[in-house]
Amino acid sequence: MSLLAVSNLTKRYRRGDNTIAAVDDVSFHIEPGETLALAGPSGSGKSTIARVVLRLIEPDDGRIEFEGDDFLALRSAALRARRARLQMVFQDPLAAFNPRATVARVLDDPLRIHGIASRSERPRRIAALLERVGLTADLAPRAIHEISGGQRQRVAIARAIATKPSLIVLDEAVSALDVSVRGEILELLLDLQRQEKIAYLFISHDLGVIRSIAHRVILLDAGRVAENGDARTVIDAPQSAIGKALVAAAPRLNRTLMRLASAGLD
Ligand SMILES: Nc1ncnc2c1ncn2[C@@H]1O[C@H](COP(=O)(O)OP(=O)(O)OP(=O)(O)O)[C@@H](O)[C@H]1O
Ligand SMILES: [Mg+2]
């Protein structure tokens, strides 16, 4: 049984008098501990898929099975319980969190809401989460807006793993970071995956990053799956028109690959 099985997903948006299918009959699956990347041009439907999988928006059609449940049919308590297993990290943690909240508060919320640790236990759990993502416990009282972009993304990852998820959706989670910080965060994600067997739905426009972190990749074009396969095979020798165009438009790809290789990621 797949961890996540998405079948015939369609999401339409109204545009003036027309509707456009932002996601058009898309199917894929993710196995436990696996990284599936979604790539494709701007507007090809990547974030829409992420939002539907996270149940932030409802699809027009399709089915999602997560950990064996009909995920779109889950309501209230059952949905809340399953949500703990399906977490997210977005591009901009400043937008995702209240920037004035402290780091401790951001990490306390999931532990409290999902009943994972008692009030007296939580400070210790927060310190352990911070250490798990390569930060120190003295960051806990700092405000989100006071820490660096890389530290913020580590806090976002700590928050995501607080509820022991089986799947994390990452939408351009490393795109805003500069190259050296990006490499460190990718290394952290790989380490967490190895240790905790977490699967990732990893959305990125950077084929170099995808090649270094993903097992498989889906290339989207105007809401449809254009190509689908082993990440290195697809990126090294794309077969679809959009795949060829994306690789041709990525002159940084080779340089990125060299940098990742020298950082020990390849
Ligand atoms: N709330 C919305 N209302 C109307 N149209 C939308 C909405 N959200 C997305 N769209 C449209 O759906 C399509 C897919 O958008 P989506 O954000 O999923 O693309 P994306 O692949 O994530 O792009 P990017 O790489 O720029 O993040 C686009 O045509 C977009 O304009
Ligand atoms: Mg997007």
Side-chain angles (χ1 to χ4, degrees):
M1 185 186 69
S2 296
L3 177 67
L4 180 82
V6 170
S7 317
N8 309 107
L9 195 71
T10 296
K11 175 68 185 177
R12 298 184 195 89
Y13 286 115
R14 197 178 303 268
R15 187 168 293 161
D17 289 339
N18 301 322
T19 61
I20 62 138
V23 177
D24 190 359
D25 197 24
V26 166
S27 301
F28 61 87
H29 61 97
I30 302 181
E31 303 307 313
E34 182 189 39
T35 299
L36 174 71
L38 294 182
S42 185
S44 57
K46 305 181 294 293
S47 296
T48 303
I49 291 174
R51 287 199 286 269
V52 172
V53 165
L54 292 163
R55 284 200 60 179
L56 301 174
I57 56 174
E58 292 289 311
D60 292 291
D61 211 345
R63 185 179 159 82
I64 299 177
E65 247 178 69
F66 177 56
E67 292 188 330
D69 285 324
D70 178 356
F71 193 53
L72 295 173
L74 292 183
R75 296 283 177 269
S76 54
L79 175 60
R80 230 175 4 258
R82 269 289 170 269
R83 276 224 159 106
R85 307 278 298 157
L86 173 48
Q87 290 293 331
M88 65 202 96
V89 177
F90 293 126
Q91 177 166 3
D92 179 9
L94 261 190
F97 307 136
N98 174 356
R100 285 188 302 277
T102 61
V103 168
R105 181 59 202 265
V106 162
L107 298 179
D108 193 69
D109 281 347
L111 297 174
R112 180 173 45 79
I113 291 165
H114 291 285
I116 289 166
S118 68
R119 176 189 287 267
S120 61
E121 256 180 275
R122 292 204 292 266
R124 197 177 50 75
R125 293 292 281 267
I126 289 168
L129 280 169
L130 286 171
E131 275 167 33
R132 185 66 193 86
V133 298
L135 297 170
T136 49
D138 60 6
L139 218 65
R142 304 268 297 277
I144 287 292
H145 71 84
E146 292 174 347
I147 62 178
S148 74
Q151 288 173 325
R152 270 201 291 274
Q153 210 53 307
R154 286 180 194 270
V155 170
I157 293 167
R159 184 187 154 102
I161 62 172
T163 57
K164 300 213 174 298
S166 57
L167 175 63
I168 302 180
V169 175
L170 300 116
D171 191 350
E172 304 283 5
V174 299
S175 306
L177 304 171
D178 68 41
V179 174
S180 63
V181 178
R182 181 181 305 158
E184 289 169 18
I185 299 288
L186 291 172
E187 195 61 76
L188 171 63
L189 291 172
L190 287 171
D191 182 49
L192 287 171
Q193 183 166 65
R194 274 193 295 266
Q195 302 291 326
E196 336 268 343
K197 211 171 176 240
I198 303 171
Y200 298 130
L201 177 59
F202 188 88
I203 296 174
S204 175
H205 61 270
D206 190 327
L207 296 178
V209 166
I210 287 177
R211 195 182 178 286
S212 72
I213 197 173
H215 300 103
R216 288 185 296 121
V217 65
I218 288 177
L219 302 183
L220 293 165
D221 186 13
R224 302 189 68 101
V225 175
E227 190 165 347
N228 175 5
D230 173 80
R232 291 180 178 197
T233 308
V234 167
I235 291 168
D236 293 347
Q239 301 297 309
S240 63
I242 198 75
K244 288 174 184 166
L246 288 169
V247 168
R252 292 193 315 110
L253 184 59
N254 289 327
R255 266 184 293 148
T256 306
L257 290 174
M258 279 163 57
R259 269 198 307 267
L260 291 169
S262 67
L265 273 170
D266 205 329

